[in-house]
Amino acid sequence: KIQKSLDQYLETKRMFFPRFYFLSNDDLLEILGQSKEPLAVQKHLKKCFDNIKALEFAVPQAGGGGGQAARSRRFEAVGMHSAEGEYVPFAMPVTAEGPVELWLTSVEQAMTSTLKRELVQSLASFRKSKKDKWVKDTTGQIVITGTQIGWTQDCSKALEDITNGERQAMKELRRKQGVVLKRLSDMVRGQPT
């Protein structure tokens, strides 16, 4: 009966924050037991979020002198680190207090909105800057998404050009893409890992 009640409790937590389904019962119990210590939750993040090594936390400065506010330890998630060492600051910090499933949901929303914002900014500079500089200055996930969007736009334009009588448009695009890919692969090979 106790086990059944525990399973039901964990299921309600998983229903509220579905990424908890990636965790074992033991890991989830550990997170729930330490929900007031966001730093203790760090080691489980990579199981919940693909390629997130850690969150960057800041402790906001309490205003005034001593008292309750100065003794409370409120953490704010201000960014995320990938396994490759990339750091992306959140557009807005997320206060990590209260039930862990609530603030992790807010972290997930911050991740999504931040990456959307970065994608829009990155796409604006995609056509204007040199590809090797753009790749170096842009977060990996945004590079992948941005280049796929750019490739799709280029292919669509080439297909439109073909229907407008430019029979060599796709061959020209293939040649340009080959040049860009060679330059990028040379750049990657030249970087120490």
Side-chain angles (χ1 to χ4, degrees), residues 73-98:
R73 289 182 39 183
R74 280 188 40 222
F75 288 91
E76 285 186 340
V78 295
M80 56 189 160
H81 294 274
S82 73
E84 294 81 23
E86 291 180 316
Y87 174 72
V88 178
F90 290 152
M92 294 292 294
V94 176
T95 302
E97 66 181 0

Side-chain angles (χ1 to χ4, degrees), residues 131-132 175-186:
K131 295 297 174 263
D132 49 350
R175 186 194 66 72
K176 286 180 182 177
Q177 290 291 325
V179 169
V180 170
L181 285 174
K182 181 176 179 348
R183 194 170 69 230
L184 290 175
S185 68
D186 290 345

Side-chain angles (χ1 to χ4, degrees), residues 133-163:
K133 180 178 179 353
W134 181 80
V135 167
K136 287 179 183 177
D137 294 344
T138 307
T139 306
Q141 185 175 2
I142 301 301
V143 168
I144 292 168
T145 306
T147 54
Q148 289 173 342
I149 290 170
W151 180 85
T152 302
Q153 290 172 339
D154 290 346
C155 287
S156 295
K157 183 177 179 334
L159 291 171
E160 284 177 26
D161 291 347
I162 289 172
T163 60

Side-chain angles (χ1 to χ4, degrees), residues 15-180:
M15 287 173 57
F16 192 85
F17 187 66
R19 290 178 179 270
F20 282 160
Y21 282 108
F22 298 125
L23 301 172
S24 69
N25 285 352
D26 292 341
D27 287 343
L28 182 50
L29 283 171
E30 186 176 339
I31 287 174
L32 295 172
Q34 298 180 341
S35 65
K36 294 197 186 310
E37 287 294 327
L39 298 178
V41 175
Q42 286 275 43
K43 69 180 182 178
H44 300 288
L45 287 177
K46 62 185 173 199
K47 297 174 188 171
C48 292
F49 299 102
D50 190 32
N51 202 32
I52 297 298
K53 180 180 176 189
L55 294 175
E56 182 79 20
F57 283 105
V59 181
Q61 299 298 320
Q68 183 68 9
R71 287 190 300 270
S72 70
R73 289 182 39 183
R74 280 188 40 222
F75 288 91
E76 285 186 340
V78 295
M80 56 189 160
H81 294 274
S82 73
E84 294 81 23
E86 291 180 316
Y87 174 72
V88 178
F90 290 152
M92 294 292 294
V94 176
T95 302
E97 66 181 0
V100 67
E101 65 273 14
L102 290 178
W103 65 261
L104 280 177
T105 298
S106 297
V107 165
E108 183 177 29
Q109 292 166 347
M111 289 175 176
T112 303
S113 65
T114 297
L115 290 176
K116 280 181 186 177
R117 182 197 72 207
E118 281 210 6
L119 180 60
V120 169
Q121 291 172 348
S122 174
L123 289 174
S125 66
F126 178 74
R127 300 272 182 219
K128 297 174 187 169
S129 57
K130 291 191 172 277
K131 295 297 174 263
D132 49 350
K133 180 178 179 353
W134 181 80
V135 167
K136 287 179 183 177
D137 294 344
T138 307
T139 306
Q141 185 175 2
I142 301 301
V143 168
I144 292 168
T145 306
T147 54
Q148 289 173 342
I149 290 170
W151 180 85
T152 302
Q153 290 172 339
D154 290 346
C155 287
S156 295
K157 183 177 179 334
L159 291 171
E160 284 177 26
D161 291 347
I162 289 172
T163 60
N164 293 333
E166 229 180 287
R167 294 180 6 160
Q168 299 297 313
M170 196 58 82
K171 287 182 181 178
E172 178 61 20
L173 176 61
R174 181 175 180 238
R175 186 194 66 72
K176 286 180 182 177
Q177 290 291 325
V179 169
V180 170

Side-chain angles (χ1 to χ4, degrees), residues 1-14 24-26 28-30 32-33:
K1 182 175 169 126
I2 293 173
Q3 183 65 42
K4 184 178 179 185
S5 295
L6 178 62
D7 289 342
Q8 287 175 338
Y9 172 72
L10 294 179
E11 184 63 21
T12 61
K13 297 296 185 180
R14 286 182 169 121
S24 69
N25 285 352
D26 292 341
L28 182 50
L29 283 171
E30 186 176 339
L32 295 172

